[in-house]
Amino acid sequence: MKRFLGFVIKEFYHIFRDYRTLLILFLLPAIQLLLFGYVITNEIKDARIAILDQSKDEVTRRISEKVLSSGYFILDKNLSSSSEIEQVFRKGNVQLVLVFAPDFAKNLDKTGNARVQIIGDASDPNTANILVNYIQGILSNYLVSLNAEKIPMQITPEVRMMYNGQMKGVYMFVPGLMAMLLMLISALMTSLSITREKELGTMELLLVSPLKPFQIIIGKVFPYVFLAFIDACIIIIIGNTVFGVPVVGNVALLLFESFLYICMALSLGILISTITSSQQIAMMLSLVALMLPTILLSGFIFPVENMPVALQWFCRLMPPKYFITIIKSIMLKGNGFSYIVFETAIMAGFTAFFILLSIKKFKVRLA
Amino acid sequence: MYKPEAENIIIVKDLVKKFGSFVANDHLSFEVKKGEIFGFLGANGAGKTTAIKILCGLSYPTSGHLMVGGFDIYREREKIKRNIGYMSQKFSLYDDLTVFENIRFYAGIYGLRRNVIEERSRDLMEKLDMKDARDKLIRDIPLGWKQKMAFSVAIIHNPKIVFLDEPTGGVDPVTRRQFWDMIFEASHEGITVFVTTHYMDEAEYCDRVSIMVDGKIAALDTPEKLKKDYGAGSMNEVFLKLARVKVN
């Protein structure tokens, strides 16, 4: 035990004397979270639009007013001819152009059918889509208010978004970032610190000593369990205090699941370090093989349900996917353990699998 | 000191190590006597490092019977580990730890008590004339000091045998000479020294040397006897003659 303690202390010296490691450990989570929380939002405010009103009557004026007072749009320019449309898009000043056909009010009154064209800038497809949807919403609202007197029947949808009433993007980023950063710290840092000992040749010395291989490995990863755990807490606390992301469920359960995920990522880091002997390769493997799938294929940013079926199956092999499901379930829905038994079991399975594989690889290398 | 009547501290019989179809160690057999400085010579790639790794328990032999310090290398690895020290050609110390922290760490993994560690590191600093460097980071001390440190650390737990794998690579001749003084001293204190090198002048310092060529032991005896047998003026000539036999 005393030997083990000495080992862990040495490992902490390595970490605290390397300011780059420290930066990655403690500054990165905070910065990433603030970046994701503030910069990358799906909510759109003050999009600049242009309006080409070829009718200029009471109805088009009222619709324009509604659009501009919605809070989503700011009028950049009133266009006078359709030739200007292409021009304003090219300049990139506006993200959307609204075109009212001539005799708008007259047609609406006589035939019950008036035409309005919504032109979006699809060089940014997501934003264009959202903006077009906003405008359509405003138009159909207006239509309903027009018809209110005429039609006695109406269907009034009452929408309520469960668990994230204001549809805040940060609710999605906090779990995703936790999955990503814990993976980064646990897998990348451990694989680097183990391969570093190999490069230095100190690993040989340790293996010649009376320390058992599993003691060496546990001694090396133990500090990272501790530090990753602190990071998990930092993310939860910043998410909660700065962005108001709640922890509805049991905090102890949340921490337990984070611990399990950290162990899974560490065992992956150990596996990486058993198959490589240089820090550079370990770094490439961790970044390419772990970070990209964590970001792209875990449902963190892109919903898994929208992917091609083959890719969906591939996503099921990504451990972070299950962790994200688990934390969303605990943090936002307040679910108990019985709801996440399946995901927990899968993560435990992954952990066991990686550890067994590492032991096997380790033995092959020693033989 | 080589004494033919001393007990065998390392016994190797028919050691074979294969990597696929490549035979790195081809039926090696030899004994090392307690307290001697045993030189394990050979060109790069002759199979020296492979053999030393097997003796240290870093790698398993394909076949053969091996005893180290009186223990069987298949069944009593843990006991062997407590009784050997190892120093590699990389002078494996932690760059970002201080001199004292390195000593404390390595002594600690051999289970030495805190007061013993303090005492030994104090003696060590004094002996190496490094008292002022106690709290310097390893990366800030000269290579020669690192090498001496690495050796001192390898024998800090008073092992029966110390294995040195190319311990003098990359240092200047004066430092190499000083380093051998440390080896002699350790040998005087009763530690058996098993050293690989490809500097033939160092072979002269050994009590006995074995010369490996292509995975086999081509010659094994005291330097004087080998020089006489091969009609050579120096160990370098002995080595060249052996290597030439192999080429022809």
Side-chain angles (χ1 to χ4, degrees), chain B residues 94-152:
Chain B
Y94 295 98
D95 267 354
D96 53 349
L97 299 189
T98 65
V99 168
F100 176 67
E101 283 162 353
N102 267 286
I103 298 173
R104 190 177 56 187
F105 171 69
Y106 280 117
I109 61 178
Y110 281 95
L112 264 56
R113 287 177 184 287
R114 184 189 298 244
N115 51 350
V116 178
I117 297 176
E118 288 282 347
E119 191 190 305
R120 288 207 189 153
S121 66
R122 212 177 305 124
D123 293 350
L124 196 66
M125 298 285 147
E126 212 149 308
K127 198 172 82 185
L128 298 180
D129 203 14
M130 280 174 59
K131 262 183 284 180
D132 301 334
R134 183 184 186 272
D135 295 318
K136 275 195 181 157
L137 294 182
I138 289 289
R139 71 164 77 99
D140 297 331
I141 67 171
L143 190 68
W145 284 13
K146 264 187 222 179
Q147 182 200 32
K148 288 175 196 165
M149 268 280 300
F151 180 69
S152 310

Side-chain angles (χ1 to χ4, degrees), chain A residues 322-338:
Chain A
Y322 300 97
F323 181 58
I324 291 179
T325 310
I326 289 172
I327 12 183
K328 277 187 182 164
S329 180
I330 300 173
M331 280 177 81
L332 306 180
K333 299 185 188 170
N335 281 345
F337 185 66
S338 58

Side-chain angles (χ1 to χ4, degrees), chain A residues 291-326:
Chain A
M291 295 317 292
L292 282 181
T294 307
I295 296 169
L296 299 177
L297 302 176
S298 64
F300 167 19
I301 295 178
F302 307 107
V304 174
E305 296 76 26
N306 299 351
M307 295 178 192
V309 182
L311 211 52
Q312 285 192 30
W313 276 100
F314 191 61
C315 290
R316 296 205 178 116
L317 297 176
M318 298 293 139
K321 174 184 182 301
Y322 300 97
F323 181 58
I324 291 179
T325 310
I326 289 172

